[in-house]
């Protein structure tokens, strides 16, 4: 059966951690963060969209922090979870179908349009302020196909098609930071705590509706406190430690 899923993984970071997360997300890969899954020969296939006047997610993030300071009259606290990152995972099988139907470049634009729709729906539903979208087609692995009639095997690149949609954890209209409220699972009709967080369930619904016109179907829910988040936390901490080591050597 053909895979057509679109799913959402959410993660949140404090300001000092966000720098490295955004460095990795930048579609041009012109930062210092590197991943073994990135294949540089395919990086030109990526696509980024940022706030007007910005060329990277980090630059857009800094612009959002300036807006936060101007609006509230103070800088974000050190322990404030400023960045709320949504990773939209797309079935490569369905991406290929779209590429076959519309062509490669047009397919990317259509996917980006759905990502913009998703970002706006999150802002409308929860209040988070979107500032960057990066679509990645340069991560994945090389595999060999089965032997053909000519007894030859073909080496292909299996893409991990996904996008990073970045939000500032602040609702300027309500003057609140919505993330804290999102962590409350609430109770069901029997008075018991919900097994899955209904807010993150809603995000899966919004992703599905945003990509429905491209033939994608709703994926499984992932909460922000899962194993994936812990792995990323370790990644960020290693990057921070490396930066501190370099800084001490320069002093």
């Amino acid at each position: 059966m053909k895979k057509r899923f679109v799913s959402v993984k959410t993660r949140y970071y404090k300001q000092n951690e966000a720098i490295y997360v955004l460095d990795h997300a930048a579609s041009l890969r012109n930062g210092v963060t590197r991943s073994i899954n990135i294949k540089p020969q395919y990086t030109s296939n990526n696509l980024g969209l940022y706030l007007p006047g910005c060329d990277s997610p980090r630059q857009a993030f800094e612009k959002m922090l300036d807006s936060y300071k101007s609006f509230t009259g103070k800088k974000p606290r050190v322990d404030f979870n400023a960045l709320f990152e949504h990773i939209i995972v797309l079935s490569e099988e369905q991406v290929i179908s779209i590429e076959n139907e519309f062509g490669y470049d047009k397919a990317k634009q259509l996917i980006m349009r759905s990502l913009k729709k998703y970002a706006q729906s999150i802002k409308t539903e929860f209040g988070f302020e979107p500032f960057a979208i990066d679509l990645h087609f340069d991560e994945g692995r090389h595999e060999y196909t089965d032997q053909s009639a000519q007894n030859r095997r073909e080496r292909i690149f299996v893409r991990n098609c996904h996008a990073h949609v970045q939000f500032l954890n602040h609702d300027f209209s309500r003057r609140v930071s919505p993330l804290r409220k999102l962590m409350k699972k609430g109770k069901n009709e029997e008075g018991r705590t919900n097994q899955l967080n209904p807010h993150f369930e809603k995000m899966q619904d919004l992703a599905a509706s945003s990509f429905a016109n491209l033939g994608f179907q709703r994926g499984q829910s992932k909460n922000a406190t899962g194993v994936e988040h812990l792995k990323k936390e370790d990644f960020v901490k290693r990057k921070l430690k490396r930066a501190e080591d370099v800084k001490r050597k320069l002093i």
Side-chain angles (χ1 to χ4, degrees), residues 49 88 109-125 130 133 165 167 203 205-214:
L49 179 66
I88 310 299
Q109 295 298 330
L110 290 172
I111 292 173
M112 180 60 77
R113 186 181 302 173
S114 290
L115 288 168
K116 289 170 62 178
K117 182 178 180 181
Y118 173 78
Q120 183 59 46
S121 68
I122 292 295
K123 177 179 178 178
T124 301
E125 181 72 23
I133 300 175
V165 185
F167 299 87
M203 291 175 187
D205 295 337
L206 293 175
S209 62
S210 298
F211 282 85
N213 65 313
L214 297 181

Side-chain angles (χ1 to χ4, degrees), residues 237-248:
K237 287 177 180 178
R238 287 198 300 270
K239 292 296 181 180
L240 287 171
K241 185 179 184 302
R242 184 179 301 175
E244 288 296 325
D245 291 341
V246 172
K247 183 179 178 180
R248 281 195 293 269

Side-chain angles (χ1 to χ4, degrees), residues 107 110 157 159:
L110 290 172
F157 180 52
R159 295 172 295 178

Side-chain angles (χ1 to χ4, degrees), residues 70 87 98 103 108 125 138 150 168 170-171 185 218 246:
S70 298
I87 299 177
I98 300 169
K108 284 198 297 185
E125 181 72 23
D138 64 346
Q150 292 78 26
L168 179 71
H170 192 74
D171 184 336
K185 290 185 177 182
R218 188 186 189 281
V246 172

Side-chain angles (χ1 to χ4, degrees), residues 32-233:
V32 298
T33 305
R34 292 291 181 269
S35 168
I36 60 174
N37 296 322
I38 296 173
K39 304 297 185 289
Q41 63 268 39
Y42 303 115
T43 294
S44 60
N45 298 330
N46 294 346
L47 192 62
L49 179 66
Y50 316 117
L51 292 178
C54 298
D55 299 321
S56 70
R58 179 173 176 177
Q59 188 178 3
F61 181 57
E62 291 171 349
K63 187 173 183 177
M64 289 301 313
L65 292 178
D66 289 340
S67 297
Y68 178 94
K69 182 180 178 181
S70 298
F71 187 78
T72 64
K74 55 185 178 181
K75 293 182 179 180
R77 288 169 29 182
V78 175
D79 61 346
F80 174 56
N81 289 310
L83 175 65
F84 190 33
E85 179 184 55
H86 292 209
I87 299 177
I88 310 299
V89 182
L90 303 169
S91 163
E92 190 197 22
E93 288 187 47
Q94 187 58 22
V95 170
I96 291 174
S97 295
I98 300 169
E99 292 169 342
N100 290 338
E101 181 176 356
F102 297 101
Y104 192 78
D105 292 333
K106 179 65 175 179
K108 284 198 297 185
Q109 295 298 330
L110 290 172
I111 292 173
M112 180 60 77
R113 186 181 302 173
S114 290
L115 288 168
K116 289 170 62 178
K117 182 178 180 181
Y118 173 78
Q120 183 59 46
S121 68
I122 292 295
K123 177 179 178 178
T124 301
E125 181 72 23
F126 300 104
F128 297 100
E129 193 67 35
F131 63 84
I133 300 175
D134 287 282
L135 178 59
H136 289 177
F137 281 161
D138 64 346
E139 295 182 51
R141 66 190 185 281
H142 283 104
E143 291 184 353
Y144 286 94
T145 60
D146 295 332
Q147 291 184 341
S148 64
Q150 292 78 26
N151 199 32
R152 297 178 60 183
R153 299 178 69 194
E154 182 183 1
R155 187 170 182 258
I156 61 173
F157 180 52
V158 180
R159 295 172 295 178
N160 171 15
C161 301
H162 67 280
H164 297 255
V165 185
Q166 315 290 0
F167 299 87
L168 179 71
N169 178 23
H170 192 74
D171 184 336
F172 288 97
S173 61
R174 298 186 180 92
R175 297 176 176 268
V176 296
S177 299
L179 187 57
R180 181 178 300 177
K181 183 179 179 181
L182 241 62
M183 294 304 159
K184 298 179 180 180
K185 290 185 177 182
K187 298 184 182 298
N188 58 25
E189 296 178 354
E190 299 175 352
R192 297 183 178 181
T193 301
N194 291 313
Q195 184 176 4
L196 293 175
N197 190 314
H199 301 301
F200 294 101
E201 288 280 287
K202 180 65 176 180
M203 291 175 187
Q204 297 290 345
D205 295 337
L206 293 175
S209 62
S210 298
F211 282 85
N213 65 313
L214 297 181
F216 287 93
Q217 298 174 349
R218 188 186 189 281
Q220 295 182 348
S221 297
K222 296 285 186 180
N223 284 346
T225 55
V227 175
E228 294 283 347
H229 178 71
L230 294 177
K231 289 181 179 178
K232 191 72 175 198
E233 285 283 353

